[in-house]
Amino acid sequence: MTPTLSITDQPIDIAAALAAVQTDTAGAVNSFIGTVRNQSGGRPVRRLHYESYDSMALTQLGHVVAQAYEKWPMLQEVAVVHRKGTLELGDVAVVVAVATPHRAESFAACQFIIDTLKQVVTIWKREEYEDGTEWVAAHP
């Protein structure tokens, strides 16, 4: 049960993230796929820019996943891939995939990981609008 954790400046391969959590012992695979939307707080968004301190972010992400394994001991596999750099509308910014024996734990663990990631992992987001840019918090 070694999680797949990655921060990349390349497009995220969703199929590869899902394949990373496939196991014959899991009856449920759950995923969250975060994409770039065209508005935020009523303002039109042109694109997003993500920056990270990769080694720190991966360490923090490892702690988040360790917490998930503690909360859901039946959690079998986890993959988290986050983009950095400039992302256009519709681009995939983050993928969280988990595998568990049953669906309830799968939904809960996936939500815990994405929510906690956005709160504690040092990946910063800057939104670009028609009239400028602004750094934004993960949870406004």
Side-chain angles (χ1 to χ4, degrees):
M1 295 190 304
T2 302
T4 300
L5 308 176
S6 175
I7 297 171
T8 181
D9 59 2
Q10 298 299 308
I12 295 175
D13 183 341
I14 297 168
L18 293 174
V21 301
Q22 289 292 321
T23 174
D24 290 342
T25 58
V29 172
N30 199 303
S31 64
F32 171 83
I33 301 168
T35 60
V36 179
R37 66 180 182 268
N38 67 356
Q39 63 82 29
S40 177
R43 293 177 75 180
V45 172
R46 296 177 66 184
R47 62 186 55 88
L48 298 180
H49 305 273
Y50 285 98
E51 294 184 18
S52 73
Y53 176 19
D54 291 355
S55 62
M56 178 184 288
L58 287 169
T59 297
Q60 294 167 328
L61 188 52
H63 293 308
V64 170
V65 171
Q67 290 174 347
Y69 278 117
E70 287 177 20
K71 291 175 76 78
W72 295 278
M74 73 294 293
L75 184 58
Q76 298 189 352
E77 300 292 340
V78 174
V80 181
V81 183
H82 204 296
R83 279 285 305 271
K84 66 178 182 180
T86 300
L87 282 72
E88 302 295 331
L89 298 179
D91 283 353
V92 175
V94 61
V95 172
V96 176
V98 302
T100 63
H102 304 287
R103 68 181 179 275
E105 295 83 7
S106 181
F107 283 119
C110 190
Q111 182 171 2
F112 171 82
I113 291 169
I114 187 63
D115 287 351
T116 308
L117 177 163
K118 291 174 84 63
Q119 292 172 346
V120 303
V121 176
T122 52
I123 298 173
W124 302 281
K125 179 172 70 174
R126 184 167 45 97
E127 294 178 344
E128 183 177 324
Y129 314 103
E130 294 290 332
D131 59 349
T133 65
E134 182 177 336
W135 291 99
V136 296
H139 290 281

